[in-house]
Amino acid sequence: MTVDVLRRPAPADRRARVAVAVLFFTNGALFANLLPRYPQIKADLGIGNAAYGLAVAAFPAGAITAGLAAGVLVRRFGSARVAVGGTLLTGAGILAAGLADSVAVFAGALFLAGAMDAFTDVAQNAHGLRVQRRYGRSIINSFHAIWSIGAVTGGSMAAAAIALGVPRGPHLLFSAVVFAVAACVALRYCLPGPETDTVAGGETGETDAGDGAVAPARAPATGLRTPATGLRTGWVLAALVLIATAGTLVEDAGMSWATLYLSDSLHATAALAASGYVALVGAQFVGRIVGDRLVDRFGQRTVARSGALIAAVGMGLALAVPTVPGTVLGFAAAGFGVATLVPAAMHEADELPGLKPGSGLTLVSWLMRLGFLLSPPAVGLVADATSLRVGLLVVPFAGLIVLVCGGALRSRRG
């Protein structure tokens, strides 16, 4: 390990880290303000589970449609500006969805919000990785932990607004304005200059491998890969996409269905029903806070597979014995179990050899949204045919995916 890697980050780098954390916070909080309102919107629009599932799938559909353009925008305007611009437009889309008076308007607004959220997601992760390279060690999990804090804050804001009888319009307008201002202030302190910065290690380009070891930075893609290397990279990338998708399946279960399941199937009050999603993202935050230490000690592979087992068993027991407290704890176990999956998959993909810088990150970020796209209508169809309790078996299924594909992640070194 070089002395350069161990140097203290410059004040500008520390300010940039705080700025990126603010962007992750606002991204988590914006959409979480809308989620507890879903049962009210569904009831006001008078739609069933299948139609509701198709409507909320418009959000990931918008993200998938627009996702691949994120890289072009980042290269053209810079990751910080794209992240902030996406935040402003995401807030506008969420406000429109909350005020929608028809299924078509609701789905269209979610489509817009999802497209803008995809831009924000790629851009803020790209900027976070820029800051990480300047630090010379892994800090990406901390940003995702801040996202979870934002989601808990947003969900709690919505639960409080519901309990106080605040209408959707004023509530979501307040949320959009507050977080838009926060994002614009954060932009001032983001890293300036082009996206291709020199890393902390100077010419050596050393970066933290994310499992306690320092590894050389990815060599530039030359296009001269052997067929064996290219095939292996493809298989590893596919496994990383599945791991990240498993994480999104669990997150979507909390976002799209936790409140409905608790209120409709288990007859919890509206304010209490919001605690399912809050428990999931709250436990996810805890998992991400301790995740770096666990990964340093046990390795990404062991942490991911252990977490998958916790999620599968915890939510499986909650579905087997349905009670309100047990279900809230089940969603908490699921959130804790999948806490490190998306950051791990993004980091590993960004380090894959033979790919252009940012390509692995963009592909994983784009393809993992298939989980958000396919999960709501699939769970809705199963719920209409059987019950929502059966549909939520998607959470234990996601745990099984990680147990199978976890070998693509790094094991503990030395």
Side-chain angles (χ1 to χ4, degrees):
M1 185 181 294
T2 67
V3 175
D4 286 332
V5 172
L6 292 174
R7 71 173 178 83
R8 291 176 60 85
D13 299 335
R14 292 196 294 269
R15 288 193 295 268
R17 182 178 183 178
V18 174
V20 174
V22 171
L23 293 178
F24 271 82
F25 179 89
T26 59
N27 184 246
L30 271 174
F31 194 47
N33 267 276
L34 177 65
L35 295 175
R37 296 289 193 171
Y38 273 180
Q40 295 175 334
I41 295 173
K42 179 175 178 288
D44 289 346
L45 297 178
I47 54 178
N49 287 325
Y52 166 78
L54 288 171
V56 297
F59 186 90
I64 291 175
T65 301
L68 288 181
V72 177
L73 292 174
V74 166
R75 288 190 292 272
R76 175 67 178 84
F77 300 104
S79 55
R81 290 179 180 176
V82 173
V84 173
T87 297
L88 302 184
L89 293 174
T90 298
I94 288 171
L95 175 61
L99 297 176
D101 57 359
S102 70
V103 177
V105 174
F106 177 59
L110 287 180
F111 186 92
L112 170 64
M116 298 304 103
D117 180 73
F119 295 156
T120 301
D121 186 42
V122 172
Q124 69 186 8
N125 275 285
H127 207 79
L129 289 171
R130 280 188 67 189
V131 177
Q132 176 172 276
R133 287 192 290 272
R134 290 184 176 231
Y135 267 67
R137 58 185 172 86
S138 178
I139 58 173
I140 193 66
N141 269 323
S142 68
F143 293 136
H144 287 263
I146 296 298
W147 184 94
S148 297
I149 294 178
V152 171
T153 301
S156 300
M157 287 171 61
I162 292 171
L164 295 173
V166 179
R168 289 198 299 270
H171 160 221
L172 295 175
L173 177 61
F174 173 80
S175 169
V177 171
V178 167
F179 296 122
V181 171
C184 289
V185 172
L187 177 61
R188 181 179 179 182
Y189 299 99
C190 288
L191 295 175
E195 296 302 306
T196 54
D197 286 344
T198 302
V199 298
E203 295 298 325
T204 63
E206 290 185 341
T207 58
D208 191 293
D211 57 0
V214 172
R218 179 189 55 236
T222 63
L224 300 177
R225 292 179 294 161
T226 64
T229 301
L231 183 61
R232 183 182 183 280
T233 297
W235 280 113
V236 172
L237 184 61
L240 294 176
V241 169
L242 287 174
I243 290 170
T245 301
T248 65
L249 288 175
V250 175
E251 288 185 21
D252 178 74
M255 288 192 301
S256 300
W257 301 105
T259 304
L260 281 175
Y261 179 64
L262 284 163
S263 62
D264 292 355
S265 301
L266 301 183
H267 309 295
T269 63
L272 182 59
S275 64
Y277 175 68
V278 172
L280 185 145
V281 293
Q284 190 178 57
F285 162 73
V286 174
R288 285 171 173 171
I289 286 294
V290 303
D292 283 325
R293 291 185 180 180
L294 293 175
V295 167
D296 287 343
R297 183 169 184 179
F298 302 108
Q300 291 277 22
R301 185 183 305 169
T302 300
V303 172
R305 283 177 165 165
S306 300
L309 189 61
I310 291 172
V313 172
M315 195 64 194
L317 289 174
L319 294 172
V321 187
T323 63
V324 172
T327 299
V328 172
L329 289 175
F331 277 112
F336 182 83
V338 303
T340 65
L341 294 186
V342 172
M346 285 184 168
H347 177 79
E348 295 283 346
D350 200 52
E351 297 295 323
L352 282 176
L355 297 178
K356 293 180 180 180
S359 296
L361 171 63
T362 300
L363 285 171
V364 168
S365 179
W366 182 60
L367 291 173
M368 77 176 186
R369 292 179 180 272
L370 287 173
F372 287 119
L373 176 64
L374 300 177
S375 179
V379 173
L381 289 170
V382 171
D384 279 349
T386 55
S387 67
L388 185 51
R389 180 182 170 193
V390 174
L392 286 174
L393 287 173
V394 67
V395 175
F397 175 72
L400 295 178
I401 292 176
V402 178
L403 290 173
V404 172
C405 299
L409 298 171
R410 302 181 196 188
S411 60
R412 181 170 178 259
R413 293 186 178 182

